[in-house]
PDB file of all heavy atoms in Angstrom:
ATOM      1  N   GLY U  11     -16.653   8.961   0.205  1.00  0.00           N
ATOM      2  CA  GLY U  11     -17.902   9.623  -0.123  1.00  0.00           C
ATOM      3  C   GLY U  11     -18.673   8.823  -1.145  1.00  0.00           C
ATOM      4  O   GLY U  11     -18.226   7.775  -1.624  1.00  0.00           O
ATOM      5  N   LEU U  14     -22.760  11.346  -6.444  1.00  0.00           N
ATOM      6  CA  LEU U  14     -24.167  11.681  -6.658  1.00  0.00           C
ATOM      7  C   LEU U  14     -24.476  11.973  -8.121  1.00  0.00           C
ATOM      8  O   LEU U  14     -25.618  11.839  -8.556  1.00  0.00           O
ATOM      9  CB  LEU U  14     -24.562  12.881  -5.795  1.00  0.00           C
ATOM     10  CG  LEU U  14     -24.393  12.710  -4.278  1.00  0.00           C
ATOM     11  CD1 LEU U  14     -24.831  13.974  -3.564  1.00  0.00           C
ATOM     12  CD2 LEU U  14     -25.166  11.501  -3.768  1.00  0.00           C
ATOM     13  N   LYS U 175     -10.469  -0.550 -10.619  1.00  0.00           N
ATOM     14  CA  LYS U 175     -10.175   0.627  -9.810  1.00  0.00           C
ATOM     15  C   LYS U 175      -9.415   1.650 -10.654  1.00  0.00           C
ATOM     16  O   LYS U 175      -8.482   1.298 -11.384  1.00  0.00           O
ATOM     17  CB  LYS U 175      -9.341   0.232  -8.585  1.00  0.00           C
ATOM     18  CG  LYS U 175      -9.089   1.381  -7.627  1.00  0.00           C
ATOM     19  CD  LYS U 175      -8.314   0.922  -6.401  1.00  0.00           C
ATOM     20  CE  LYS U 175      -8.047   2.085  -5.462  1.00  0.00           C
ATOM     21  NZ  LYS U 175      -7.258   1.656  -4.271  1.00  0.00           N
TER      22      LYS U 175
END
Side-chain angles (χ1 to χ4, degrees):
L14 301 180
K175 185 177 179 181

